[in-house]
PDB file of all heavy atoms in Angstrom:
ATOM      1  N   SER P   1     -12.167 -14.041  14.898  1.00 98.00           N
ATOM      2  CA  SER P   1     -11.217 -13.652  13.816  1.00 98.00           C
ATOM      3  C   SER P   1     -11.089 -14.704  12.895  1.00 98.00           C
ATOM      4  O   SER P   1     -11.089 -15.844  13.187  1.00 98.00           O
ATOM      5  CB  SER P   1      -9.855 -13.251  14.457  1.00 98.00           C
ATOM      6  OG  SER P   1     -10.017 -12.078  15.322  1.00 98.00           O
ATOM      7  N   LEU P   2     -10.819 -14.340  11.586  1.00 98.00           N
ATOM      8  CA  LEU P   2     -10.426 -15.314  10.508  1.00 98.00           C
ATOM      9  C   LEU P   2      -9.301 -14.548   9.718  1.00 98.00           C
ATOM     10  O   LEU P   2      -9.247 -13.384   9.587  1.00 98.00           O
ATOM     11  CB  LEU P   2     -11.549 -15.582   9.687  1.00 98.00           C
ATOM     12  CG  LEU P   2     -12.657 -16.599  10.160  1.00 98.00           C
ATOM     13  CD1 LEU P   2     -13.828 -16.636   9.203  1.00 98.00           C
ATOM     14  CD2 LEU P   2     -12.115 -17.970  10.363  1.00 98.00           C
ATOM     15  N   ARG P   3      -8.563 -15.330   9.086  1.00 98.00           N
ATOM     16  CA  ARG P   3      -7.646 -14.891   8.078  1.00 98.00           C
ATOM     17  C   ARG P   3      -7.814 -15.641   6.794  1.00 98.00           C
ATOM     18  O   ARG P   3      -7.604 -16.884   6.737  1.00 98.00           O
ATOM     19  CB  ARG P   3      -6.118 -15.084   8.521  1.00 98.00           C
ATOM     20  CG  ARG P   3      -5.178 -14.278   7.553  1.00 98.00           C
ATOM     21  CD  ARG P   3      -3.714 -14.390   7.947  1.00 98.00           C
ATOM     22  NE  ARG P   3      -3.179 -15.665   7.792  1.00 98.00           N
ATOM     23  CZ  ARG P   3      -1.867 -15.941   7.611  1.00 98.00           C
ATOM     24  NH1 ARG P   3      -0.967 -14.956   7.685  1.00 98.00           N
ATOM     25  NH2 ARG P   3      -1.388 -17.177   7.411  1.00 98.00           N
ATOM     26  N   LEU P   4      -8.156 -14.838   5.699  1.00 98.00           N
ATOM     27  CA  LEU P   4      -8.384 -15.366   4.415  1.00 98.00           C
ATOM     28  C   LEU P   4      -7.122 -15.315   3.666  1.00 98.00           C
ATOM     29  O   LEU P   4      -6.280 -14.445   3.827  1.00 98.00           O
ATOM     30  CB  LEU P   4      -9.464 -14.607   3.740  1.00 98.00           C
ATOM     31  CG  LEU P   4     -10.812 -14.484   4.424  1.00 98.00           C
ATOM     32  CD1 LEU P   4     -11.826 -13.804   3.531  1.00 98.00           C
ATOM     33  CD2 LEU P   4     -11.338 -15.797   4.866  1.00 98.00           C
ATOM     34  N   THR P   5      -6.857 -16.302   2.788  1.00 98.00           N
ATOM     35  CA  THR P   5      -5.671 -16.351   2.029  1.00 98.00           C
ATOM     36  C   THR P   5      -6.130 -16.548   0.434  1.00 98.00           C
ATOM     37  O   THR P   5      -7.069 -17.196   0.171  1.00 98.00           O
ATOM     38  CB  THR P   5      -4.797 -17.588   2.398  1.00 98.00           C
ATOM     39  OG1 THR P   5      -4.406 -17.406   3.809  1.00 98.00           O
ATOM     40  CG2 THR P   5      -3.609 -17.770   1.493  1.00 98.00           C
ATOM     41  N   CYS P   6      -5.376 -15.887  -0.343  1.00 98.00           N
ATOM     42  CA  CYS P   6      -5.643 -15.924  -1.775  1.00 98.00           C
ATOM     43  C   CYS P   6      -4.251 -16.201  -2.437  1.00 98.00           C
ATOM     44  O   CYS P   6      -3.330 -15.393  -2.324  1.00 98.00           O
ATOM     45  CB  CYS P   6      -6.183 -14.599  -2.212  1.00 98.00           C
ATOM     46  SG  CYS P   6      -6.378 -14.521  -4.031  1.00 98.00           S
ATOM     47  N   VAL P   7      -4.123 -17.364  -3.181  1.00 98.00           N
ATOM     48  CA  VAL P   7      -2.921 -17.746  -3.880  1.00 98.00           C
ATOM     49  C   VAL P   7      -3.206 -17.601  -5.325  1.00 98.00           C
ATOM     50  O   VAL P   7      -4.183 -18.098  -5.795  1.00 98.00           O
ATOM     51  CB  VAL P   7      -2.522 -19.164  -3.452  1.00 98.00           C
ATOM     52  CG1 VAL P   7      -1.258 -19.539  -4.220  1.00 98.00           C
ATOM     53  CG2 VAL P   7      -2.355 -19.317  -1.964  1.00 98.00           C
ATOM     54  N   VAL P   8      -2.290 -16.918  -5.955  1.00 97.00           N
ATOM     55  CA  VAL P   8      -2.480 -16.619  -7.369  1.00 97.00           C
ATOM     56  C   VAL P   8      -1.388 -17.161  -8.228  1.00 97.00           C
ATOM     57  O   VAL P   8      -0.195 -17.245  -7.857  1.00 97.00           O
ATOM     58  CB  VAL P   8      -2.542 -14.972  -7.502  1.00 97.00           C
ATOM     59  CG1 VAL P   8      -2.366 -14.481  -8.928  1.00 97.00           C
ATOM     60  CG2 VAL P   8      -3.693 -14.402  -6.806  1.00 97.00           C
ATOM     61  N   SER P   9      -1.706 -17.409  -9.503  1.00 96.00           N
ATOM     62  CA  SER P   9      -0.748 -17.750 -10.520  1.00 96.00           C
ATOM     63  C   SER P   9      -1.300 -17.301 -11.829  1.00 96.00           C
ATOM     64  O   SER P   9      -2.506 -17.119 -12.065  1.00 96.00           O
ATOM     65  CB  SER P   9      -0.564 -19.290 -10.489  1.00 96.00           C
ATOM     66  OG  SER P   9      -1.585 -20.003 -10.858  1.00 96.00           O
ATOM     67  N   GLY P  10      -0.438 -17.207 -12.851  1.00 93.00           N
ATOM     68  CA  GLY P  10      -0.756 -16.926 -14.236  1.00 93.00           C
ATOM     69  C   GLY P  10      -0.492 -15.432 -14.664  1.00 93.00           C
ATOM     70  O   GLY P  10      -0.633 -15.156 -15.828  1.00 93.00           O
ATOM     71  N   TRP P  11       0.030 -14.588 -13.801  1.00 91.00           N
ATOM     72  CA  TRP P  11       0.493 -13.237 -14.141  1.00 91.00           C
ATOM     73  C   TRP P  11       1.494 -12.834 -13.168  1.00 91.00           C
ATOM     74  O   TRP P  11       1.841 -13.506 -12.145  1.00 91.00           O
ATOM     75  CB  TRP P  11      -0.711 -12.302 -14.198  1.00 91.00           C
ATOM     76  CG  TRP P  11      -1.248 -11.882 -12.885  1.00 91.00           C
ATOM     77  CD1 TRP P  11      -0.756 -10.865 -12.048  1.00 91.00           C
ATOM     78  CD2 TRP P  11      -2.415 -12.372 -12.252  1.00 91.00           C
ATOM     79  NE1 TRP P  11      -1.582 -10.680 -10.960  1.00 91.00           N
ATOM     80  CE2 TRP P  11      -2.610 -11.626 -11.014  1.00 91.00           C
ATOM     81  CE3 TRP P  11      -3.324 -13.404 -12.536  1.00 91.00           C
ATOM     82  CZ2 TRP P  11      -3.607 -11.821 -10.090  1.00 91.00           C
ATOM     83  CZ3 TRP P  11      -4.454 -13.556 -11.667  1.00 91.00           C
ATOM     84  CH2 TRP P  11      -4.547 -12.842 -10.543  1.00 91.00           C
ATOM     85  N   GLU P  12       2.218 -11.718 -13.575  1.00 93.00           N
ATOM     86  CA  GLU P  12       3.245 -11.110 -12.716  1.00 93.00           C
ATOM     87  C   GLU P  12       2.550 -10.446 -11.467  1.00 93.00           C
ATOM     88  O   GLU P  12       2.138  -9.232 -11.450  1.00 93.00           O
ATOM     89  CB  GLU P  12       4.011 -10.075 -13.512  1.00 93.00           C
ATOM     90  CG  GLU P  12       4.879 -10.670 -14.616  1.00 93.00           C
ATOM     91  CD  GLU P  12       6.087 -11.390 -14.067  1.00 93.00           C
ATOM     92  OE1 GLU P  12       6.468 -11.264 -12.874  1.00 93.00           O
ATOM     93  OE2 GLU P  12       6.860 -12.099 -14.883  1.00 93.00           O
ATOM     94  N   PHE P  13       2.409 -11.236 -10.526  1.00 93.00           N
ATOM     95  CA  PHE P  13       1.685 -10.875  -9.275  1.00 93.00           C
ATOM     96  C   PHE P  13       2.068  -9.505  -8.731  1.00 93.00           C
ATOM     97  O   PHE P  13       1.228  -8.627  -8.349  1.00 93.00           O
ATOM     98  CB  PHE P  13       1.781 -11.971  -8.258  1.00 93.00           C
ATOM     99  CG  PHE P  13       1.093 -11.670  -7.009  1.00 93.00           C
ATOM    100  CD1 PHE P  13      -0.328 -11.779  -6.864  1.00 93.00           C
ATOM    101  CD2 PHE P  13       1.758 -11.253  -5.803  1.00 93.00           C
ATOM    102  CE1 PHE P  13      -1.035 -11.443  -5.677  1.00 93.00           C
ATOM    103  CE2 PHE P  13       1.090 -10.966  -4.658  1.00 93.00           C
ATOM    104  CZ  PHE P  13      -0.264 -11.115  -4.519  1.00 93.00           C
ATOM    105  N   ARG P  14       3.385  -9.216  -8.628  1.00 92.00           N
ATOM    106  CA  ARG P  14       3.947  -8.101  -8.062  1.00 92.00           C
ATOM    107  C   ARG P  14       3.683  -6.767  -8.851  1.00 92.00           C
ATOM    108  O   ARG P  14       3.818  -5.631  -8.303  1.00 92.00           O
ATOM    109  CB  ARG P  14       5.383  -8.218  -7.757  1.00 92.00           C
ATOM    110  CG  ARG P  14       6.256  -8.249  -9.015  1.00 92.00           C
ATOM    111  CD  ARG P  14       7.668  -8.471  -8.670  1.00 92.00           C
ATOM    112  NE  ARG P  14       8.512  -8.598  -9.904  1.00 92.00           N
ATOM    113  CZ  ARG P  14       9.843  -8.759  -9.795  1.00 92.00           C
ATOM    114  NH1 ARG P  14      10.471  -8.771  -8.616  1.00 92.00           N
ATOM    115  NH2 ARG P  14      10.524  -8.816 -10.924  1.00 92.00           N
ATOM    116  N   ASN P  15       3.127  -6.846  -9.993  1.00 93.00           N
ATOM    117  CA  ASN P  15       2.817  -5.731 -10.833  1.00 93.00           C
ATOM    118  C   ASN P  15       1.460  -5.158 -10.679  1.00 93.00           C
ATOM    119  O   ASN P  15       1.081  -4.184 -11.292  1.00 93.00           O
ATOM    120  CB  ASN P  15       3.147  -6.080 -12.351  1.00 93.00           C
ATOM    121  CG  ASN P  15       4.675  -6.154 -12.603  1.00 93.00           C
ATOM    122  OD1 ASN P  15       5.510  -5.872 -11.813  1.00 93.00           O
ATOM    123  ND2 ASN P  15       4.935  -6.842 -13.715  1.00 93.00           N
ATOM    124  N   TYR P  16       0.646  -5.805  -9.913  1.00 95.00           N
ATOM    125  CA  TYR P  16      -0.831  -5.499  -9.898  1.00 95.00           C
ATOM    126  C   TYR P  16      -1.200  -5.299  -8.448  1.00 95.00           C
ATOM    127  O   TYR P  16      -0.879  -6.006  -7.546  1.00 95.00           O
ATOM    128  CB  TYR P  16      -1.658  -6.585 -10.517  1.00 95.00           C
ATOM    129  CG  TYR P  16      -1.460  -6.647 -12.018  1.00 95.00           C
ATOM    130  CD1 TYR P  16      -0.360  -7.415 -12.584  1.00 95.00           C
ATOM    131  CD2 TYR P  16      -2.298  -5.965 -12.880  1.00 95.00           C
ATOM    132  CE1 TYR P  16      -0.239  -7.539 -14.014  1.00 95.00           C
ATOM    133  CE2 TYR P  16      -2.132  -6.013 -14.274  1.00 95.00           C
ATOM    134  CZ  TYR P  16      -1.096  -6.822 -14.852  1.00 95.00           C
ATOM    135  OH  TYR P  16      -0.992  -6.883 -16.160  1.00 95.00           O
ATOM    136  N   GLY P  17      -2.123  -4.247  -8.333  1.00 95.00           N
ATOM    137  CA  GLY P  17      -2.878  -4.211  -7.027  1.00 95.00           C
ATOM    138  C   GLY P  17      -3.902  -5.332  -6.883  1.00 95.00           C
ATOM    139  O   GLY P  17      -4.368  -5.752  -7.861  1.00 95.00           O
ATOM    140  N   MET P  18      -4.196  -5.683  -5.673  1.00 97.00           N
ATOM    141  CA  MET P  18      -5.040  -6.768  -5.408  1.00 97.00           C
ATOM    142  C   MET P  18      -6.164  -6.343  -4.405  1.00 97.00           C
ATOM    143  O   MET P  18      -5.910  -5.536  -3.493  1.00 97.00           O
ATOM    144  CB  MET P  18      -4.382  -7.963  -4.827  1.00 97.00           C
ATOM    145  CG  MET P  18      -3.331  -8.572  -5.790  1.00 97.00           C
ATOM    146  SD  MET P  18      -4.132  -9.355  -7.236  1.00 97.00           S
ATOM    147  CE  MET P  18      -5.104 -10.661  -6.449  1.00 97.00           C
ATOM    148  N   GLY P  19      -7.374  -6.786  -4.576  1.00 97.00           N
ATOM    149  CA  GLY P  19      -8.431  -6.494  -3.695  1.00 97.00           C
ATOM    150  C   GLY P  19      -9.241  -7.688  -3.176  1.00 97.00           C
ATOM    151  O   GLY P  19      -9.129  -8.747  -3.764  1.00 97.00           O
ATOM    152  N   TRP P  20      -9.961  -7.453  -2.167  1.00 98.00           N
ATOM    153  CA  TRP P  20     -10.956  -8.442  -1.603  1.00 98.00           C
ATOM    154  C   TRP P  20     -12.374  -7.874  -1.778  1.00 98.00           C
ATOM    155  O   TRP P  20     -12.527  -6.653  -1.424  1.00 98.00           O
ATOM    156  CB  TRP P  20     -10.672  -8.763  -0.164  1.00 98.00           C
ATOM    157  CG  TRP P  20      -9.518  -9.683   0.095  1.00 98.00           C
ATOM    158  CD1 TRP P  20      -8.235  -9.364   0.410  1.00 98.00           C
ATOM    159  CD2 TRP P  20      -9.494 -11.130   0.063  1.00 98.00           C
ATOM    160  NE1 TRP P  20      -7.502 -10.477   0.538  1.00 98.00           N
ATOM    161  CE2 TRP P  20      -8.243 -11.582   0.376  1.00 98.00           C
ATOM    162  CE3 TRP P  20     -10.530 -12.067  -0.131  1.00 98.00           C
ATOM    163  CZ2 TRP P  20      -7.899 -12.912   0.431  1.00 98.00           C
ATOM    164  CZ3 TRP P  20     -10.230 -13.400  -0.068  1.00 98.00           C
ATOM    165  CH2 TRP P  20      -8.862 -13.752   0.178  1.00 98.00           C
ATOM    166  N   SER P  21     -13.169  -8.655  -2.297  1.00 98.00           N
ATOM    167  CA  SER P  21     -14.652  -8.162  -2.281  1.00 98.00           C
ATOM    168  C   SER P  21     -15.473  -9.239  -1.536  1.00 98.00           C
ATOM    169  O   SER P  21     -14.995 -10.284  -1.197  1.00 98.00           O
ATOM    170  CB  SER P  21     -15.112  -8.123  -3.784  1.00 98.00           C
ATOM    171  OG  SER P  21     -15.175  -9.351  -4.344  1.00 98.00           O
ATOM    172  N   ARG P  22     -16.718  -8.755  -1.292  1.00 98.00           N
ATOM    173  CA  ARG P  22     -17.680  -9.742  -0.646  1.00 98.00           C
ATOM    174  C   ARG P  22     -19.071  -9.571  -1.282  1.00 98.00           C
ATOM    175  O   ARG P  22     -19.376  -8.462  -1.723  1.00 98.00           O
ATOM    176  CB  ARG P  22     -17.691  -9.610   0.795  1.00 98.00           C
ATOM    177  CG  ARG P  22     -18.294  -8.238   1.323  1.00 98.00           C
ATOM    178  CD  ARG P  22     -18.080  -8.258   2.918  1.00 98.00           C
ATOM    179  NE  ARG P  22     -18.700  -6.980   3.386  1.00 98.00           N
ATOM    180  CZ  ARG P  22     -18.562  -6.668   4.661  1.00 98.00           C
ATOM    181  NH1 ARG P  22     -17.769  -7.385   5.517  1.00 98.00           N
ATOM    182  NH2 ARG P  22     -19.122  -5.504   5.049  1.00 98.00           N
ATOM    183  N   GLN P  23     -19.842 -10.590  -1.203  1.00 98.00           N
ATOM    184  CA  GLN P  23     -21.224 -10.490  -1.651  1.00 98.00           C
ATOM    185  C   GLN P  23     -22.075 -11.217  -0.764  1.00 98.00           C
ATOM    186  O   GLN P  23     -21.890 -12.410  -0.525  1.00 98.00           O
ATOM    187  CB  GLN P  23     -21.305 -11.008  -3.076  1.00 98.00           C
ATOM    188  CG  GLN P  23     -22.764 -10.906  -3.618  1.00 98.00           C
ATOM    189  CD  GLN P  23     -22.770 -10.939  -5.119  1.00 98.00           C
ATOM    190  OE1 GLN P  23     -21.960 -11.745  -5.708  1.00 98.00           O
ATOM    191  NE2 GLN P  23     -23.723 -10.301  -5.831  1.00 98.00           N
ATOM    192  N   ALA P  24     -23.008 -10.572  -0.120  1.00 97.00           N
ATOM    193  CA  ALA P  24     -24.003 -11.131   0.803  1.00 97.00           C
ATOM    194  C   ALA P  24     -25.314 -11.424   0.077  1.00 97.00           C
ATOM    195  O   ALA P  24     -25.550 -10.854  -0.986  1.00 97.00           O
ATOM    196  CB  ALA P  24     -24.172 -10.130   2.081  1.00 97.00           C
ATOM    197  N   PRO P  25     -26.122 -12.365   0.580  1.00 91.00           N
ATOM    198  CA  PRO P  25     -27.309 -12.592  -0.037  1.00 91.00           C
ATOM    199  C   PRO P  25     -28.220 -11.390  -0.295  1.00 91.00           C
ATOM    200  O   PRO P  25     -28.470 -10.638   0.559  1.00 91.00           O
ATOM    201  CB  PRO P  25     -28.045 -13.550   0.954  1.00 91.00           C
ATOM    202  CG  PRO P  25     -26.915 -14.202   1.669  1.00 91.00           C
ATOM    203  CD  PRO P  25     -25.913 -13.102   1.831  1.00 91.00           C
ATOM    204  N   GLY P  26     -28.643 -11.258  -1.514  1.00 94.00           N
ATOM    205  CA  GLY P  26     -29.520 -10.149  -1.948  1.00 94.00           C
ATOM    206  C   GLY P  26     -28.724  -8.832  -2.067  1.00 94.00           C
ATOM    207  O   GLY P  26     -29.489  -7.777  -2.364  1.00 94.00           O
ATOM    208  N   LYS P  27     -27.436  -8.763  -1.925  1.00 96.00           N
ATOM    209  CA  LYS P  27     -26.730  -7.482  -2.015  1.00 96.00           C
ATOM    210  C   LYS P  27     -25.740  -7.619  -3.281  1.00 96.00           C
ATOM    211  O   LYS P  27     -25.370  -8.703  -3.628  1.00 96.00           O
ATOM    212  CB  LYS P  27     -25.990  -7.159  -0.793  1.00 96.00           C
ATOM    213  CG  LYS P  27     -26.922  -6.960   0.331  1.00 96.00           C
ATOM    214  CD  LYS P  27     -26.189  -6.493   1.595  1.00 96.00           C
ATOM    215  CE  LYS P  27     -27.155  -6.145   2.669  1.00 96.00           C
ATOM    216  NZ  LYS P  27     -26.302  -5.641   3.926  1.00 96.00           N
ATOM    217  N   GLU P  28     -25.271  -6.483  -3.722  1.00 96.00           N
ATOM    218  CA  GLU P  28     -24.307  -6.390  -4.760  1.00 96.00           C
ATOM    219  C   GLU P  28     -22.939  -6.584  -4.272  1.00 96.00           C
ATOM    220  O   GLU P  28     -22.663  -6.433  -2.995  1.00 96.00           O
ATOM    221  CB  GLU P  28     -24.380  -5.045  -5.456  1.00 96.00           C
ATOM    222  CG  GLU P  28     -25.696  -4.797  -6.226  1.00 96.00           C
ATOM    223  CD  GLU P  28     -25.659  -3.394  -6.969  1.00 96.00           C
ATOM    224  OE1 GLU P  28     -24.853  -2.645  -6.719  1.00 96.00           O
ATOM    225  OE2 GLU P  28     -26.613  -3.206  -7.789  1.00 96.00           O
ATOM    226  N   ARG P  29     -21.946  -7.035  -5.091  1.00 96.00           N
ATOM    227  CA  ARG P  29     -20.603  -7.189  -4.672  1.00 96.00           C
ATOM    228  C   ARG P  29     -20.098  -5.911  -4.269  1.00 96.00           C
ATOM    229  O   ARG P  29     -20.279  -4.858  -4.816  1.00 96.00           O
ATOM    230  CB  ARG P  29     -19.811  -7.841  -5.860  1.00 96.00           C
ATOM    231  CG  ARG P  29     -18.354  -7.991  -5.575  1.00 96.00           C
ATOM    232  CD  ARG P  29     -17.668  -8.748  -6.616  1.00 96.00           C
ATOM    233  NE  ARG P  29     -18.034 -10.078  -6.670  1.00 96.00           N
ATOM    234  CZ  ARG P  29     -17.363 -11.064  -7.251  1.00 96.00           C
ATOM    235  NH1 ARG P  29     -16.196 -10.751  -7.832  1.00 96.00           N
ATOM    236  NH2 ARG P  29     -17.896 -12.292  -7.310  1.00 96.00           N
ATOM    237  N   GLN P  30     -19.255  -5.898  -3.095  1.00 97.00           N
ATOM    238  CA  GLN P  30     -18.666  -4.696  -2.485  1.00 97.00           C
ATOM    239  C   GLN P  30     -17.254  -4.933  -2.337  1.00 97.00           C
ATOM    240  O   GLN P  30     -16.846  -5.942  -1.710  1.00 97.00           O
ATOM    241  CB  GLN P  30     -19.366  -4.397  -1.250  1.00 97.00           C
ATOM    242  CG  GLN P  30     -18.732  -3.213  -0.497  1.00 97.00           C
ATOM    243  CD  GLN P  30     -19.400  -3.202   0.992  1.00 97.00           C
ATOM    244  OE1 GLN P  30     -19.576  -4.181   1.625  1.00 97.00           O
ATOM    245  NE2 GLN P  30     -19.627  -1.906   1.407  1.00 97.00           N
ATOM    246  N   ILE P  31     -16.365  -4.111  -2.756  1.00 97.00           N
ATOM    247  CA  ILE P  31     -14.943  -4.102  -2.422  1.00 97.00           C
ATOM    248  C   ILE P  31     -14.773  -3.635  -0.920  1.00 97.00           C
ATOM    249  O   ILE P  31     -15.118  -2.640  -0.553  1.00 97.00           O
ATOM    250  CB  ILE P  31     -14.134  -3.118  -3.306  1.00 97.00           C
ATOM    251  CG1 ILE P  31     -14.384  -3.461  -4.827  1.00 97.00           C
ATOM    252  CG2 ILE P  31     -12.613  -3.149  -2.990  1.00 97.00           C
ATOM    253  CD1 ILE P  31     -13.750  -4.780  -5.187  1.00 97.00           C
ATOM    254  N   VAL P  32     -14.119  -4.452  -0.275  1.00 98.00           N
ATOM    255  CA  VAL P  32     -13.878  -4.294   1.147  1.00 98.00           C
ATOM    256  C   VAL P  32     -12.425  -3.795   1.471  1.00 98.00           C
ATOM    257  O   VAL P  32     -12.271  -3.099   2.493  1.00 98.00           O
ATOM    258  CB  VAL P  32     -14.270  -5.428   2.097  1.00 98.00           C
ATOM    259  CG1 VAL P  32     -15.820  -5.750   1.948  1.00 98.00           C
ATOM    260  CG2 VAL P  32     -13.491  -6.682   1.727  1.00 98.00           C
TER     261      VAL P  32
END
């Protein structure tokens, strides 16, 4: 298991939905 963390600044964080994406070698970016 792993836990990833994303810390944000520069906008009203609570007003926006947030997503995680990933990109593997040779593949397109995918929202997970």
Side-chain angles (χ1 to χ4, degrees):
S1 296
L2 285 172
R3 188 176 75 157
L4 306 184
T5 298
C6 173
V7 180
V8 169
S9 63
W11 73 82
E12 292 287 348
F13 178 77
R14 65 182 179 180
N15 291 343
Y16 292 86
M18 298 292 298
W20 286 93
S21 69
R22 67 186 182 188
Q23 188 163 25
K27 296 186 177 180
E28 296 182 348
R29 177 173 292 198
Q30 176 190 40
I31 302 295
V32 297

